Amino acid sequence: MKKAFLYDIIMDTEVNEMSREFSVVIEKDEDGYFIASVPTLKGCHTQAKSLDVLMKRIKEAIELCLEVEDPAITEFIGVQRVAISA
């Protein structure tokens, strides 16, 4: 079963620029890899075996995604579990 949690990242792109904040969804797959994705940036995701490495990688991925697109304007509301009959 996948576990997911939300992590907010504050990006400092340059010392003199304002910081930008992104919500990151993090899941752990059945092989033990952590998978991070940024809902406001299409295709912005990465994976790693540790959370420390994952955080470095997702920051790099965000910076690269921002070079080619602007983030979608959304408001994070929450994560909800839904049960269905199998």
Side-chain angles (χ1 to χ4, degrees):
M1 173 185 281
K2 286 186 181 180
K3 294 181 180 177
F5 59 95
L6 186 75
Y7 196 98
D8 285 332
I9 290 185
I10 298 173
M11 300 291 298
D12 288 317
T13 52
E14 287 187 20
V15 177
N16 295 330
E17 286 189 33
M18 281 183 38
S19 296
R20 298 176 80 175
E21 191 172 305
F22 295 89
S23 295
V24 178
V25 176
I26 300 173
E27 300 178 281
K28 189 172 185 181
D29 72 8
E30 60 274 356
D31 296 323
Y33 280 90
F34 293 100
I35 302 163
S37 61
V38 182
T40 57
L41 293 168
K42 294 179 197 171
C44 189
H45 56 270
T46 190
Q47 67 179 20
K49 274 289 198 181
S50 74
L51 285 173
D52 289 337
V53 173
L54 185 73
M55 293 295 88
K56 290 177 189 173
R57 289 183 179 174
I58 198 61
K59 286 180 180 182
E60 291 172 359
I62 290 169
E63 289 171 349
L64 291 170
C65 287
L66 288 173
E67 289 179 8
V68 296
E69 74 171 296
D70 290 326
I73 306 299
T74 62
E75 177 185 358
F76 179 74
I77 301 300
V79 176
Q80 186 73 43
R81 282 198 173 268
V82 176
I84 59 168
S85 299

